[in-house]
Amino acid sequence: MSLSASSLWSPISGGITAPHGFKASGVRAGFKISDKPDLALLLAPQGSICAGTFTQSLMRASCIDLAIERLRVTNGQIRAVLVNSGHANACTGPRGLLDSLHATKQIASCLGLLPDEVLICSTGLIGAPIPMRKLLDAIEPLASSLSDEGGSAAAQAILTTDLVVKEIALQAEFGGRKVRIGGMAKGSGMIHPNMATMLGYFTCDVGVASDLWQGMIKRVVERSFNVISIDGDTSTNDACLAFNAGDHLENEYLNSLEIGLNIAAQYLAKAIARDGEGAYCLLEVKVVGTQSDVEANQLARSIVGSSLVKTAVHGCDPNWGRIVAAAGRSGVTFNPDNLSIWLGPYQLMKGGQSIEFDHSKVSTYMKKAHQGNYLSTDCVCIRLLVGSGPGAGKAWGCDLSDEYVRINADYTT
Amino acid sequence: MSLSASSLWSPISGGITAPHGFKASGVRAGFKISDKPDLALLLAPQGSICAGTFTQSLMRASCIDLAIERLRVTNGQIRAVLVNSGHANACTGPRGLLDSLHATKQIASCLGLLPDEVLICSTGLIGAPIPMRKLLDAIEPLASSLSDEGGSAAAQAILTTDLVVKEIALQAEFGGRKVRIGGMAKGSGMIHPNMATMLGYFTCDVGVASDLWQGMIKRVVERSFNVISIDGDTSTNDACLAFNAGDHLENEYLNSLEIGLNIAAQYLAKAIARDGEGAYCLLEVKVVGTQSDVEANQLARSIVGSSLVKTAVHGCDPNWGRIVAAAGRSGVTFNPDNLSIWLGPYQLMKGGQSIEFDHSKVSTYMKKAHQGNYLSTDCVCIRLLVGSGPGAGKAWGCDLSDEYVRINADYTT
């Protein structure tokens, strides 16, 4: 998946450890039956500031409560985050919280930090407590393998059913000063605004004051991770954490920094959608002409989340009637006589009525997106014009395939 | 699917023509490639009163607008309804409305009625206009085959991707007077509250004043068709029409009549859910302990509509974590520490925490529901207790299978 064009920011290698001073590692603790790494650690330099956004679900894991509490008591001065993959440690009662406390205390002790400076994020099966013996045994090798080249190892270790590693790093120069942003994320089921079974991490090697940083990250997440939907389900454990550390950036460059964060977050969000469970292609829905951006986003989400639209996209079938149905039930008011729909470059509907189009050409356009690999930029793009209002919005998702059903019909067994 | 127990009402045969004075017919107009009937007609006796409920989608077919308008101008004195299956005639512009006007005019002329006394309901592919030549050619044979034993022929002719005919008739005796209720419906994709790609028809051979009848049907639909969800999508063409005709029923029996209508409508709603596209079983979610019934219904719908819950049900996998996730994102506030969950007779969660249960026994319980036929009463029942509030609610749906994807990846092609 290539990056959006930006004259400011250039892609570099290194993921979350590309920014100066950040270290990461990933090891195999043995949580999973496979031989893949499943425990990651990120260490931020002294003086770092962390901002977080978390699942809106009522049923949230205790690690989320712990993260929110520690961000509060430290005023964002978090130094490390541990990520275990395979066991969500949600709905595990007091034991779940005690395990999180224990794990972070051990990490703190190992790294010479205070327990309050360490967070833990868990992803995997809900109701499954963390196998603590395995975790505790892995802490020493995990800490000792921390490295400023460990970004990719960490990005690999946080995955569950994801097929590909999702990481990015960008670099820009502001007033002669090099600034780097790193990011990594995981999907890939139970993904829906707000957030997802989604973990996202960002690092940045310039300092930004805590309140400014929190506001910036909130806006960035709103335009990226909160725009994707794989299957309409939201997880108990979603979290996005963003660290900055270094001399403070001059105010005049804050907007440029936010542009870079947007590029990185949207890249990762689209990569999550493209790698949705069982997905063959990335689906993008763009809506313009509503009264507000909020309405446009709501309309786009209704379409990107429709099982009937998603199966039609899977079948490379330009069945615009399903797009119309999903738009009609979105709760957004518009004049049906003004509705126009495009699929890629092909217009399928104009002024509320179907128009002639070459079915096979549109189907070929859709097939092309299916042939992309997991990092392809190709997508099936649905565009709607619903009126002359100033609102614009978008949503990203994926097709719904037989494989989605098969993956999810047998996950715990 | 057996009927709910009622000492008042007994099942009888005859479907919508079981009530005295109603005639129906179904013929093959040739709209579909298959050799199945695809055009139905229902004729109500003189003096009948009709009430209707319709799709809430903004993108509704012109036949829906026409029905609402004619119910208004005749004050519910509708005599006949024509149903064509295969072409939804939605998003077909002025031509769509002209075709509906033409078709109902021909029916009216054939039956000696006023055009305003005739409605048309269309179901099938959105954007596809009605092949009018075929429809007009079929009107004479359709009208001439009207019969007081034609209920099943009509119930067959309204189907699209449904696998089984859905009809019911009930009889009771009030003060020595026999009262009959008939019903028929079709599903089976794009089904979600409110309404569905759902057509439902009821007949009754006692008179009820128009305003009382409208209120009664609204409540009945709210507790039946508005409780089901197949895939979260709502159609452009949903309609439920209910006719009564005959000497007025004494007020003291109105509640008993409504009980009968509830039984009939809930039977048909569950039959639609059971026969959802690609479905192997009926899924019932019951919620108690919320602050209100509205909250309980909202929670139940969130769970019954979750793709991850539906695939777990398909896989006979008691993955309660997905139930928890769907409950957590429902928008209903409850104390997670009070959440208890049962799957059939087996408790999986108590006070917000997982408890020990025999995985294979629960899986066997779920498998049993899969083995039912399309008219089986077996269902996978998920029950939630979320607190001590007075609210109770439910939702019906079905599992999500590979077949759903296959059916819908290739519908228009």
Side-chain angles (χ1 to χ4, degrees), chain B residues 4-9 168 170 172 174 181 216 219-220 223 249 252-267:
Chain B
S4 306
S6 164
S7 52
L8 279 173
W9 293 92
I168 186 173
L170 300 171
F174 298 143
I181 292 170
M216 201 180 280
R219 286 191 298 276
V220 165
R223 293 192 208 103
L249 187 67
E252 64 184 297
Y253 298 120
L254 285 176
N255 280 342
S256 300
L257 179 65
E258 187 162 335
I259 288 171
L261 287 165
N262 273 327
I263 295 170
Q266 292 185 10
Y267 169 85

mmCIF file of all heavy atoms in Angstrom, chain B residues 4-9 168 170 172 174 181 216 219-220 223 249 252-267:
data_model
loop_
_atom_site.group_PDB
_atom_site.id
_atom_site.type_symbol
_atom_site.label_atom_id
_atom_site.label_comp_id
_atom_site.label_asym_id
_atom_site.label_seq_id
_atom_site.Cartn_x
_atom_site.Cartn_y
_atom_site.Cartn_z
ATOM 1 N N SER B 4 -47.019 -20.852 18.839
ATOM 2 C CA SER B 4 -47.006 -20.635 20.280
ATOM 3 C C SER B 4 -48.324 -21.170 20.845
ATOM 4 O O SER B 4 -49.373 -21.093 20.199
ATOM 5 C CB SER B 4 -46.923 -19.147 20.586
ATOM 6 O OG SER B 4 -45.834 -18.575 19.926
ATOM 7 N N ALA B 5 -48.254 -21.685 22.030
ATOM 8 C CA ALA B 5 -49.462 -22.245 22.644
ATOM 9 C C ALA B 5 -50.471 -21.129 22.893
ATOM 10 O O ALA B 5 -50.126 -20.032 23.280
ATOM 11 C CB ALA B 5 -49.097 -22.907 23.963
ATOM 12 N N SER B 6 -51.683 -21.370 22.617
ATOM 13 C CA SER B 6 -52.759 -20.433 22.916
ATOM 14 C C SER B 6 -54.033 -21.230 23.066
ATOM 15 O O SER B 6 -54.380 -22.025 22.204
ATOM 16 C CB SER B 6 -52.887 -19.416 21.790
ATOM 17 O OG SER B 6 -54.135 -18.750 21.887
ATOM 18 N N SER B 7 -54.696 -21.006 24.161
ATOM 19 C CA SER B 7 -55.943 -21.740 24.349
ATOM 20 C C SER B 7 -57.052 -21.117 23.520
ATOM 21 O O SER B 7 -58.056 -21.742 23.211
ATOM 22 C CB SER B 7 -56.327 -21.745 25.836
ATOM 23 O OG SER B 7 -56.317 -20.427 26.316
ATOM 24 N N LEU B 8 -56.836 -19.859 23.117
ATOM 25 C CA LEU B 8 -57.858 -19.155 22.340
ATOM 26 C C LEU B 8 -57.869 -19.587 20.883
ATOM 27 O O LEU B 8 -58.914 -19.828 20.293
ATOM 28 C CB LEU B 8 -57.568 -17.659 22.335
ATOM 29 C CG LEU B 8 -57.972 -16.804 23.531
ATOM 30 C CD1 LEU B 8 -57.421 -15.412 23.349
ATOM 31 C CD2 LEU B 8 -59.491 -16.783 23.634
ATOM 32 N N TRP B 9 -56.682 -19.641 20.306
ATOM 33 C CA TRP B 9 -56.541 -19.763 18.858
ATOM 34 C C TRP B 9 -56.023 -21.138 18.454
ATOM 35 O O TRP B 9 -55.058 -21.619 19.026
ATOM 36 C CB TRP B 9 -55.576 -18.695 18.337
ATOM 37 C CG TRP B 9 -56.101 -17.297 18.481
ATOM 38 C CD1 TRP B 9 -55.894 -16.449 19.524
ATOM 39 C CD2 TRP B 9 -56.936 -16.602 17.554
ATOM 40 N NE1 TRP B 9 -56.543 -15.267 19.309
ATOM 41 C CE2 TRP B 9 -57.190 -15.323 18.100
ATOM 42 C CE3 TRP B 9 -57.499 -16.938 16.319
ATOM 43 C CZ2 TRP B 9 -57.978 -14.374 17.453
ATOM 44 C CZ3 TRP B 9 -58.277 -15.989 15.674
ATOM 45 C CH2 TRP B 9 -58.521 -14.735 16.232
ATOM 46 N N ILE B 168 -49.926 -18.974 7.313
ATOM 47 C CA ILE B 168 -50.519 -19.412 8.569
ATOM 48 C C ILE B 168 -52.004 -19.042 8.556
ATOM 49 O O ILE B 168 -52.413 -18.102 7.871
ATOM 50 C CB ILE B 168 -49.811 -18.746 9.773
ATOM 51 C CG1 ILE B 168 -50.334 -19.305 11.095
ATOM 52 C CG2 ILE B 168 -49.947 -17.226 9.726
ATOM 53 C CD1 ILE B 168 -49.591 -18.836 12.323
ATOM 54 N N LEU B 170 -55.375 -19.091 11.591
ATOM 55 C CA LEU B 170 -55.797 -19.396 12.956
ATOM 56 C C LEU B 170 -57.303 -19.179 13.072
ATOM 57 O O LEU B 170 -57.877 -18.368 12.350
ATOM 58 C CB LEU B 170 -55.107 -18.456 13.946
ATOM 59 C CG LEU B 170 -53.577 -18.469 14.004
ATOM 60 C CD1 LEU B 170 -53.088 -17.315 14.873
ATOM 61 C CD2 LEU B 170 -53.086 -19.806 14.551
ATOM 62 N N ALA B 172 -60.591 -18.829 16.085
ATOM 63 C CA ALA B 172 -61.043 -18.771 17.482
ATOM 64 C C ALA B 172 -62.550 -18.547 17.483
ATOM 65 O O ALA B 172 -63.156 -18.283 16.429
ATOM 66 C CB ALA B 172 -60.348 -17.629 18.213
ATOM 67 N N PHE B 174 -65.463 -16.304 19.482
ATOM 68 C CA PHE B 174 -65.753 -15.236 20.453
ATOM 69 C C PHE B 174 -67.255 -15.099 20.570
ATOM 70 O O PHE B 174 -67.922 -14.679 19.627
ATOM 71 C CB PHE B 174 -65.151 -13.908 19.987
ATOM 72 C CG PHE B 174 -63.648 -13.939 19.864
ATOM 73 C CD1 PHE B 174 -63.006 -13.256 18.854
ATOM 74 C CD2 PHE B 174 -62.868 -14.654 20.776
ATOM 75 C CE1 PHE B 174 -61.623 -13.268 18.750
ATOM 76 C CE2 PHE B 174 -61.487 -14.687 20.676
ATOM 77 C CZ PHE B 174 -60.864 -13.989 19.661
ATOM 78 N N ILE B 181 -58.069 -15.689 11.183
ATOM 79 C CA ILE B 181 -56.959 -14.819 10.779
ATOM 80 C C ILE B 181 -56.117 -15.590 9.774
ATOM 81 O O ILE B 181 -55.839 -16.773 9.980
ATOM 82 C CB ILE B 181 -56.064 -14.448 11.987
ATOM 83 C CG1 ILE B 181 -56.809 -13.539 12.959
ATOM 84 C CG2 ILE B 181 -54.763 -13.793 11.543
ATOM 85 C CD1 ILE B 181 -56.064 -13.338 14.276
ATOM 86 N N MET B 216 -53.549 -1.464 16.068
ATOM 87 C CA MET B 216 -53.304 -2.875 16.379
ATOM 88 C C MET B 216 -52.193 -3.445 15.488
ATOM 89 O O MET B 216 -51.261 -4.104 15.963
ATOM 90 C CB MET B 216 -54.622 -3.642 16.143
ATOM 91 C CG MET B 216 -54.718 -4.965 16.846
ATOM 92 S SD MET B 216 -56.320 -5.779 16.498
ATOM 93 C CE MET B 216 -57.413 -4.939 17.625
ATOM 94 N N ARG B 219 -48.714 -2.173 16.399
ATOM 95 C CA ARG B 219 -48.154 -2.858 17.576
ATOM 96 C C ARG B 219 -47.708 -4.280 17.226
ATOM 97 O O ARG B 219 -46.659 -4.745 17.673
ATOM 98 C CB ARG B 219 -49.193 -2.913 18.713
ATOM 99 C CG ARG B 219 -49.427 -1.592 19.414
ATOM 100 C CD ARG B 219 -50.258 -1.779 20.673
ATOM 101 N NE ARG B 219 -51.593 -2.311 20.420
ATOM 102 C CZ ARG B 219 -52.656 -1.582 20.067
ATOM 103 N NH1 ARG B 219 -52.546 -0.267 19.926
ATOM 104 N NH2 ARG B 219 -53.829 -2.145 19.856
ATOM 105 N N VAL B 220 -48.528 -4.949 16.426
ATOM 106 C CA VAL B 220 -48.222 -6.340 16.056
ATOM 107 C C VAL B 220 -46.920 -6.403 15.247
ATOM 108 O O VAL B 220 -46.061 -7.260 15.505
ATOM 109 C CB VAL B 220 -49.406 -6.949 15.260
ATOM 110 C CG1 VAL B 220 -48.990 -8.221 14.545
ATOM 111 C CG2 VAL B 220 -50.596 -7.203 16.189
ATOM 112 N N ARG B 223 -43.755 -5.979 17.294
ATOM 113 C CA ARG B 223 -43.371 -7.146 18.107
ATOM 114 C C ARG B 223 -43.003 -8.370 17.255
ATOM 115 O O ARG B 223 -42.738 -9.432 17.795
ATOM 116 C CB ARG B 223 -44.533 -7.557 19.022
ATOM 117 C CG ARG B 223 -44.874 -6.572 20.100
ATOM 118 C CD ARG B 223 -45.819 -7.209 21.105
ATOM 119 N NE ARG B 223 -46.657 -6.203 21.744
ATOM 120 C CZ ARG B 223 -47.936 -5.984 21.446
ATOM 121 N NH1 ARG B 223 -48.560 -6.731 20.553
ATOM 122 N NH2 ARG B 223 -48.607 -5.050 22.069
ATOM 123 N N LEU B 249 -66.408 -6.579 15.380
ATOM 124 C CA LEU B 249 -66.172 -7.397 16.561
ATOM 125 C C LEU B 249 -66.480 -6.550 17.800
ATOM 126 O O LEU B 249 -66.150 -5.373 17.856
ATOM 127 C CB LEU B 249 -64.699 -7.825 16.582
ATOM 128 C CG LEU B 249 -64.265 -8.825 17.639
ATOM 129 C CD1 LEU B 249 -64.902 -10.187 17.385
ATOM 130 C CD2 LEU B 249 -62.737 -8.965 17.666
ATOM 131 N N GLU B 252 -65.002 -6.025 23.588
ATOM 132 C CA GLU B 252 -64.453 -6.905 24.635
ATOM 133 C C GLU B 252 -63.532 -7.992 24.056
ATOM 134 O O GLU B 252 -62.728 -8.578 24.787
ATOM 135 C CB GLU B 252 -65.592 -7.561 25.432
ATOM 136 C CG GLU B 252 -66.455 -8.478 24.574
ATOM 137 C CD GLU B 252 -67.654 -9.051 25.358
ATOM 138 O OE1 GLU B 252 -67.418 -9.784 26.324
ATOM 139 O OE2 GLU B 252 -68.815 -8.753 24.967
ATOM 140 N N TYR B 253 -63.643 -8.230 22.735
ATOM 141 C CA TYR B 253 -62.809 -9.281 22.130
ATOM 142 C C TYR B 253 -61.580 -8.746 21.389
ATOM 143 O O TYR B 253 -60.818 -9.509 20.797
ATOM 144 C CB TYR B 253 -63.639 -10.130 21.168
ATOM 145 C CG TYR B 253 -64.789 -10.857 21.840
ATOM 146 C CD1 TYR B 253 -66.103 -10.635 21.447
ATOM 147 C CD2 TYR B 253 -64.537 -11.764 22.879
ATOM 148 C CE1 TYR B 253 -67.150 -11.292 22.063
ATOM 149 C CE2 TYR B 253 -65.579 -12.425 23.512
ATOM 150 C CZ TYR B 253 -66.893 -12.180 23.103
ATOM 151 O OH TYR B 253 -67.910 -12.834 23.727
ATOM 152 N N LEU B 254 -61.414 -7.429 21.374
ATOM 153 C CA LEU B 254 -60.306 -6.847 20.601
ATOM 154 C C LEU B 254 -58.933 -7.329 21.090
ATOM 155 O O LEU B 254 -58.048 -7.629 20.291
ATOM 156 C CB LEU B 254 -60.361 -5.316 20.641
ATOM 157 C CG LEU B 254 -61.448 -4.680 19.752
ATOM 158 C CD1 LEU B 254 -61.472 -3.168 19.942
ATOM 159 C CD2 LEU B 254 -61.235 -5.025 18.275
ATOM 160 N N ASN B 255 -58.770 -7.415 22.403
ATOM 161 C CA ASN B 255 -57.484 -7.903 22.921
ATOM 162 C C ASN B 255 -57.203 -9.328 22.472
ATOM 163 O O ASN B 255 -56.074 -9.681 22.145
ATOM 164 C CB ASN B 255 -57.458 -7.838 24.457
ATOM 165 C CG ASN B 255 -57.166 -6.433 24.941
ATOM 166 O OD1 ASN B 255 -56.670 -5.609 24.183
ATOM 167 N ND2 ASN B 255 -57.488 -6.161 26.192
ATOM 168 N N SER B 256 -58.237 -10.147 22.472
ATOM 169 C CA SER B 256 -58.072 -11.541 22.050
ATOM 170 C C SER B 256 -57.717 -11.619 20.568
ATOM 171 O O SER B 256 -56.922 -12.471 20.149
ATOM 172 C CB SER B 256 -59.353 -12.330 22.310
ATOM 173 O OG SER B 256 -59.655 -12.308 23.691
ATOM 174 N N LEU B 257 -58.307 -10.720 19.778
ATOM 175 C CA LEU B 257 -57.963 -10.681 18.355
ATOM 176 C C LEU B 257 -56.501 -10.303 18.177
ATOM 177 O O LEU B 257 -55.772 -10.924 17.386
ATOM 178 C CB LEU B 257 -58.868 -9.669 17.627
ATOM 179 C CG LEU B 257 -58.597 -9.520 16.129
ATOM 180 C CD1 LEU B 257 -58.903 -10.809 15.377
ATOM 181 C CD2 LEU B 257 -59.406 -8.362 15.537
ATOM 182 N N GLU B 258 -56.062 -9.326 18.953
ATOM 183 C CA GLU B 258 -54.664 -8.893 18.846
ATOM 184 C C GLU B 258 -53.709 -10.026 19.246
ATOM 185 O O GLU B 258 -52.624 -10.170 18.646
ATOM 186 C CB GLU B 258 -54.414 -7.644 19.703
ATOM 187 C CG GLU B 258 -53.027 -7.048 19.488
ATOM 188 C CD GLU B 258 -52.900 -5.609 19.981
ATOM 189 O OE1 GLU B 258 -53.916 -4.892 20.064
ATOM 190 O OE2 GLU B 258 -51.764 -5.197 20.271
ATOM 191 N N ILE B 259 -54.109 -10.826 20.218
ATOM 192 C CA ILE B 259 -53.287 -11.988 20.592
ATOM 193 C C ILE B 259 -53.116 -12.914 19.392
ATOM 194 O O ILE B 259 -52.017 -13.383 19.084
ATOM 195 C CB ILE B 259 -53.924 -12.742 21.789
ATOM 196 C CG1 ILE B 259 -53.759 -11.911 23.066
ATOM 197 C CG2 ILE B 259 -53.294 -14.134 21.961
ATOM 198 C CD1 ILE B 259 -54.535 -12.449 24.262
ATOM 199 N N GLY B 260 -54.201 -13.139 18.669
ATOM 200 C CA GLY B 260 -54.137 -13.997 17.480
ATOM 201 C C GLY B 260 -53.249 -13.410 16.398
ATOM 202 O O GLY B 260 -52.442 -14.114 15.779
ATOM 203 N N LEU B 261 -53.374 -12.109 16.186
ATOM 204 C CA LEU B 261 -52.519 -11.448 15.184
ATOM 205 C C LEU B 261 -51.050 -11.531 15.594
ATOM 206 O O LEU B 261 -50.171 -11.744 14.756
ATOM 207 C CB LEU B 261 -52.936 -9.984 15.014
ATOM 208 C CG LEU B 261 -54.254 -9.769 14.264
ATOM 209 C CD1 LEU B 261 -54.757 -8.338 14.463
ATOM 210 C CD2 LEU B 261 -54.088 -10.054 12.764
ATOM 211 N N ASN B 262 -50.796 -11.387 16.894
ATOM 212 C CA ASN B 262 -49.415 -11.522 17.381
ATOM 213 C C ASN B 262 -48.861 -12.914 17.111
ATOM 214 O O ASN B 262 -47.717 -13.064 16.677
ATOM 215 C CB ASN B 262 -49.349 -11.254 18.889
ATOM 216 C CG ASN B 262 -49.184 -9.780 19.193
ATOM 217 O OD1 ASN B 262 -48.548 -9.053 18.438
ATOM 218 N ND2 ASN B 262 -49.777 -9.339 20.289
ATOM 219 N N ILE B 263 -49.670 -13.919 17.387
ATOM 220 C CA ILE B 263 -49.214 -15.297 17.159
ATOM 221 C C ILE B 263 -48.882 -15.494 15.677
ATOM 222 O O ILE B 263 -47.822 -16.010 15.320
ATOM 223 C CB ILE B 263 -50.290 -16.320 17.596
ATOM 224 C CG1 ILE B 263 -50.519 -16.247 19.108
ATOM 225 C CG2 ILE B 263 -49.891 -17.740 17.183
ATOM 226 C CD1 ILE B 263 -51.718 -17.048 19.585
ATOM 227 N N ALA B 264 -49.791 -15.043 14.822
ATOM 228 C CA ALA B 264 -49.589 -15.221 13.380
ATOM 229 C C ALA B 264 -48.354 -14.458 12.897
ATOM 230 O O ALA B 264 -47.516 -14.994 12.162
ATOM 231 C CB ALA B 264 -50.829 -14.761 12.616
ATOM 232 N N ALA B 265 -48.219 -13.225 13.339
ATOM 233 C CA ALA B 265 -47.116 -12.384 12.856
ATOM 234 C C ALA B 265 -45.769 -12.878 13.391
ATOM 235 O O ALA B 265 -44.763 -12.879 12.673
ATOM 236 C CB ALA B 265 -47.345 -10.923 13.258
ATOM 237 N N GLN B 266 -45.748 -13.318 14.643
ATOM 238 C CA GLN B 266 -44.487 -13.810 15.207
ATOM 239 C C GLN B 266 -44.093 -15.136 14.559
ATOM 240 O O GLN B 266 -42.914 -15.412 14.355
ATOM 241 C CB GLN B 266 -44.584 -13.916 16.730
ATOM 242 C CG GLN B 266 -44.683 -12.521 17.353
ATOM 243 C CD GLN B 266 -44.654 -12.529 18.880
ATOM 244 O OE1 GLN B 266 -44.381 -13.533 19.499
ATOM 245 N NE2 GLN B 266 -44.950 -11.373 19.469
ATOM 246 N N TYR B 267 -45.079 -15.951 14.244
ATOM 247 C CA TYR B 267 -44.800 -17.191 13.518
ATOM 248 C C TYR B 267 -44.133 -16.872 12.175
ATOM 249 O O TYR B 267 -43.109 -17.453 11.809
ATOM 250 C CB TYR B 267 -46.095 -17.980 13.309
ATOM 251 C CG TYR B 267 -45.946 -19.128 12.343
ATOM 252 C CD1 TYR B 267 -45.487 -20.370 12.779
ATOM 253 C CD2 TYR B 267 -46.240 -18.971 10.990
ATOM 254 C CE1 TYR B 267 -45.320 -21.421 11.892
ATOM 255 C CE2 TYR B 267 -46.075 -20.009 10.097
ATOM 256 C CZ TYR B 267 -45.615 -21.238 10.547
ATOM 257 O OH TYR B 267 -45.451 -22.277 9.660
#
